[in-house]
Amino acid sequence: MISDTENLERFISQINETADRAVESIHRETEKYVSGELEKAKKQARREIHDSQFMELDKLNEKNNTDFFASQRRETIHLIEVRRELTEKVFEEARRRVEAFTHSADYAGFLTASAKKITEVVGTDSVFYLREDDRKYRDELLPFCREIATDNEIALGGIRAVNQEKGLAADDTLDARLQQQREAFYEQSGLSVTL
Protein backbone atom coordinates (compact mmCIF):
# COMPACT_ATOMS: atom_id res chain seq x y z
CA MET A 1 0.00 0.00 0.00
CA ILE A 2 1.36 3.39 -0.95
CA SER A 3 1.82 5.71 2.02
CA ASP A 4 0.28 9.17 2.25
CA THR A 5 3.73 10.71 2.04
CA GLU A 6 4.46 8.79 -1.16
CA ASN A 7 1.08 9.85 -2.55
CA LEU A 8 1.81 13.47 -1.69
CA GLU A 9 5.32 13.26 -3.14
CA ARG A 10 4.04 11.61 -6.30
CA PHE A 11 1.31 14.25 -6.58
CA ILE A 12 3.80 17.08 -6.15
CA SER A 13 6.11 15.40 -8.67
CA GLN A 14 3.23 15.31 -11.17
CA ILE A 15 2.59 19.00 -10.55
CA ASN A 16 6.27 19.77 -11.16
CA GLU A 17 6.29 17.69 -14.39
CA THR A 18 3.17 19.46 -15.68
CA ALA A 19 4.63 22.84 -14.85
CA ASP A 20 7.97 21.94 -16.47
CA ARG A 21 6.21 21.00 -19.71
CA ALA A 22 4.19 24.22 -19.67
CA VAL A 23 7.28 26.32 -18.96
CA GLU A 24 9.17 24.64 -21.81
CA SER A 25 6.30 25.33 -24.20
CA ILE A 26 6.18 28.99 -23.18
CA HIS A 27 9.95 29.23 -23.54
CA ARG A 28 9.86 27.75 -27.09
CA GLU A 29 7.03 30.09 -28.13
CA THR A 30 8.89 33.12 -26.81
CA GLU A 31 12.14 32.15 -28.56
CA LYS A 32 10.26 31.59 -31.82
CA TYR A 33 8.55 34.97 -31.56
CA VAL A 34 11.77 36.85 -30.72
CA SER A 35 13.62 35.05 -33.53
CA GLY A 36 10.88 35.98 -36.01
CA GLU A 37 10.91 39.60 -34.92
CA LEU A 38 14.68 39.74 -35.20
CA GLU A 39 14.57 38.28 -38.71
CA LYS A 40 11.94 40.85 -39.74
CA ALA A 41 14.10 43.66 -38.40
CA LYS A 42 17.16 42.35 -40.30
CA LYS A 43 15.27 42.11 -43.60
CA GLN A 44 13.95 45.63 -43.17
CA ALA A 45 17.47 46.94 -42.50
CA ARG A 46 18.85 45.23 -45.63
CA ARG A 47 16.19 46.85 -47.85
CA GLU A 48 16.89 50.27 -46.41
CA ILE A 49 20.66 49.97 -46.90
CA HIS A 50 20.14 50.13 -50.65
CA ASP A 51 17.87 53.17 -50.43
CA SER A 52 19.69 55.39 -47.94
CA GLN A 53 23.06 56.80 -47.02
CA PHE A 54 25.30 55.43 -44.23
CA MET A 55 24.11 58.06 -41.81
CA GLU A 56 20.49 57.10 -42.33
CA LEU A 57 21.47 53.46 -41.87
CA ASP A 58 23.00 54.26 -38.48
CA LYS A 59 19.81 56.02 -37.43
CA LEU A 60 17.73 53.10 -38.62
CA ASN A 61 19.84 50.55 -36.75
CA GLU A 62 19.51 52.61 -33.59
CA LYS A 63 15.75 52.77 -34.02
CA ASN A 64 15.50 49.05 -34.80
CA ASN A 65 17.53 48.19 -31.74
CA THR A 66 15.34 50.41 -29.61
CA ASP A 67 12.18 48.88 -31.06
CA PHE A 68 13.54 45.38 -30.74
CA PHE A 69 14.52 45.84 -27.12
CA ALA A 70 11.17 47.47 -26.38
CA SER A 71 9.40 44.55 -28.05
CA GLN A 72 11.60 42.08 -26.21
CA ARG A 73 10.84 43.83 -22.93
CA ARG A 74 7.08 43.69 -23.62
CA GLU A 75 7.35 39.98 -24.41
CA THR A 76 9.39 39.35 -21.26
CA ILE A 77 6.81 41.16 -19.15
CA HIS A 78 4.09 39.10 -20.81
CA LEU A 79 6.07 35.91 -20.17
CA ILE A 80 6.47 36.82 -16.51
CA GLU A 81 2.72 37.29 -16.19
CA VAL A 82 1.95 34.00 -17.97
CA ARG A 83 4.42 32.14 -15.75
CA ARG A 84 2.97 33.75 -12.62
CA GLU A 85 -0.55 32.73 -13.67
CA LEU A 86 0.62 29.19 -14.44
CA THR A 87 2.31 28.90 -11.05
CA GLU A 88 -0.79 30.16 -9.26
CA LYS A 89 -3.01 27.69 -11.15
CA VAL A 90 -0.69 24.78 -10.34
CA PHE A 91 -0.53 25.61 -6.66
CA GLU A 92 -4.23 26.40 -6.37
CA GLU A 93 -4.93 22.93 -7.75
CA ALA A 94 -2.38 21.47 -5.33
CA ARG A 95 -4.08 23.30 -2.47
CA ARG A 96 -7.49 21.89 -3.49
CA ARG A 97 -6.08 18.37 -3.59
CA VAL A 98 -4.39 18.76 -0.21
CA GLU A 99 -7.66 20.04 1.26
CA ALA A 100 -9.49 17.03 -0.20
CA PHE A 101 -6.84 14.76 1.35
CA THR A 102 -7.53 16.23 4.81
CA HIS A 103 -11.13 15.08 4.45
CA SER A 104 -10.18 11.55 3.45
CA ALA A 105 -9.90 8.47 5.64
CA ASP A 106 -6.13 8.46 5.12
CA TYR A 107 -5.60 11.80 6.85
CA ALA A 108 -5.74 10.38 10.40
CA GLY A 109 -2.95 7.94 9.53
CA PHE A 110 -0.95 10.78 8.02
CA LEU A 111 -1.25 12.76 11.28
CA THR A 112 -0.19 9.76 13.38
CA ALA A 113 2.85 9.12 11.16
CA SER A 114 3.71 12.82 11.30
CA ALA A 115 3.42 12.78 15.10
CA LYS A 116 5.86 9.86 15.30
CA LYS A 117 8.41 11.67 13.11
CA ILE A 118 8.03 14.91 15.03
CA THR A 119 8.46 13.15 18.36
CA GLU A 120 11.81 11.80 17.14
CA VAL A 121 12.94 15.40 16.60
CA VAL A 122 11.44 17.34 19.53
CA GLY A 123 10.62 14.61 22.06
CA THR A 124 7.38 13.77 23.83
CA ASP A 125 7.59 16.74 26.22
CA SER A 126 6.32 19.08 23.52
CA VAL A 127 3.18 20.94 22.54
CA PHE A 128 1.51 19.92 19.28
CA TYR A 129 -0.29 22.69 17.43
CA LEU A 130 -3.16 21.74 15.13
CA ARG A 131 -5.78 23.62 13.17
CA GLU A 132 -9.18 23.75 14.86
CA ASP A 133 -10.69 21.13 12.50
CA ASP A 134 -8.01 18.61 13.51
CA ARG A 135 -8.66 18.73 17.24
CA LYS A 136 -10.91 15.70 16.71
CA TYR A 137 -7.67 13.67 16.39
CA ARG A 138 -6.56 14.77 19.87
CA ASP A 139 -6.88 11.32 21.46
CA GLU A 140 -4.78 9.66 18.73
CA LEU A 141 -2.04 12.31 18.96
CA LEU A 142 -1.83 12.95 22.71
CA PRO A 143 0.39 9.89 23.38
CA PHE A 144 3.10 11.62 21.31
CA CYS A 145 3.15 14.92 23.18
CA ARG A 146 2.55 16.70 26.47
CA GLU A 147 -0.23 18.98 25.25
CA ILE A 148 -2.31 19.80 22.17
CA ALA A 149 -3.21 23.37 21.27
CA THR A 150 -4.90 25.14 18.37
CA ASP A 151 -2.98 27.31 15.91
CA ASN A 152 -5.23 29.45 13.70
CA GLU A 153 -2.35 30.07 11.29
CA ILE A 154 -2.41 26.44 10.16
CA ALA A 155 -4.85 26.54 7.26
CA LEU A 156 -4.44 23.19 5.51
CA GLY A 157 -3.61 20.80 8.33
CA GLY A 158 -0.76 18.83 9.81
CA ILE A 159 1.22 19.36 13.01
CA ARG A 160 3.59 22.01 14.27
CA ALA A 161 5.41 21.13 17.53
CA VAL A 162 7.42 23.12 20.06
CA ASN A 163 9.48 21.81 22.96
CA GLN A 164 10.25 24.93 25.02
CA GLU A 165 12.51 23.13 27.47
CA LYS A 166 14.81 21.79 24.75
CA GLY A 167 14.42 24.84 22.51
CA LEU A 168 13.28 22.65 19.62
CA ALA A 169 10.54 23.04 17.06
CA ALA A 170 9.27 21.07 14.08
CA ASP A 171 6.80 22.07 11.39
CA ASP A 172 5.19 19.22 9.50
CA THR A 173 2.11 21.15 8.50
CA LEU A 174 0.71 20.75 5.03
CA ASP A 175 0.98 24.54 4.76
CA ALA A 176 4.75 24.35 5.26
CA ARG A 177 5.09 21.41 2.89
CA LEU A 178 3.19 23.21 0.15
CA GLN A 179 5.28 26.36 0.68
CA GLN A 180 8.48 24.31 0.44
CA GLN A 181 7.24 22.81 -2.81
CA ARG A 182 6.46 26.30 -4.14
CA GLU A 183 10.01 27.46 -3.34
CA ALA A 184 11.53 24.33 -4.89
CA PHE A 185 9.29 24.79 -7.93
CA TYR A 186 10.61 28.32 -8.49
CA GLU A 187 14.21 27.16 -8.10
CA GLN A 188 13.93 24.10 -10.33
CA SER A 189 11.47 25.21 -12.99
CA GLY A 190 13.41 28.15 -14.35
CA LEU A 191 10.56 30.53 -13.63
CA SER A 192 12.83 33.42 -12.80
CA VAL A 193 12.84 36.01 -15.55
CA THR A 194 14.90 39.17 -15.58
CA LEU A 195 14.12 42.35 -17.46
Side-chain angles (χ1 to χ4, degrees), residues 16-195:
N16 286 338
E17 289 173 15
T18 301
D20 288 345
R21 286 192 300 273
V23 167
E24 183 60 32
S25 174
I26 291 168
H27 184 46
R28 282 192 308 272
E29 290 173 21
T30 302
E31 286 181 350
K32 182 179 175 183
Y33 176 80
V34 169
S35 177
E37 288 297 308
L38 181 59
E39 191 58 37
K40 288 178 192 176
K42 286 179 182 179
K43 286 179 183 178
Q44 178 67 23
R46 284 187 206 114
R47 280 192 301 268
E48 291 178 6
I49 286 173
H50 298 291
D51 300 328
S52 65
Q53 300 173 354
F54 287 107
M55 185 183 290
E56 291 299 318
L57 179 60
D58 288 341
K59 289 179 184 179
L60 180 61
N61 283 334
E62 184 178 323
K63 182 186 181 311
N64 283 341
N65 285 340
T66 302
D67 290 347
F68 173 74
F69 287 117
S71 173
Q72 187 177 26
R73 181 175 170 82
R74 283 190 304 273
E75 286 302 312
T76 300
I77 289 170
H78 176 70
L79 178 61
I80 290 169
E81 181 59 23
V82 168
R83 288 178 175 183
R84 185 197 62 76
E85 289 173 5
L86 173 66
T87 300
E88 290 308 314
K89 285 180 184 177
V90 165
F91 280 93
E92 183 54 37
E93 178 62 23
R95 184 178 185 84
R96 279 194 292 273
R97 289 187 182 194
V98 168
E99 286 174 348
F101 169 69
T102 64
H103 293 92
S104 74
D106 295 331
Y107 183 58
F110 167 80
L111 285 175
T112 303
S114 177
K116 288 176 185 176
K117 283 192 281 185
I118 287 174
T119 301
E120 292 173 7
V121 174
V122 298
T124 57
D125 193 30
S126 60
V127 178
F128 279 7
Y129 293 92
L130 309 171
R131 66 183 179 150
E132 184 64 39
D133 290 350
D134 292 345
R135 288 189 61 83
K136 61 188 170 194
Y137 301 109
R138 183 183 189 285
D139 292 340
E140 290 93 341
L141 300 176
L142 200 53
F144 300 100
C145 62
R146 176 175 42 89
E147 178 185 345
I148 293 184
T150 301
D151 183 345
N152 293 330
E153 292 189 18
I154 300 173
L156 295 175
I159 303 170
R160 186 172 59 82
V162 175
N163 185 328
Q164 291 286 351
E165 294 169 7
K166 293 182 180 178
L168 298 172
D171 190 344
D172 196 24
T173 60
L174 295 172
D175 305 70
R177 286 182 178 206
L178 192 60
Q179 182 59 34
Q180 288 170 348
Q181 288 302 316
R182 181 182 287 267
E183 291 167 8
F185 179 75
Y186 278 119
E187 290 175 13
Q188 296 171 7
S189 68
L191 287 180
S192 60
V193 178
T194 56
L195 297 176

Side-chain angles (χ1 to χ4, degrees), residues 1-2 4 92:
M1 176 177 233
I2 297 174
D4 296 330
E92 183 54 37

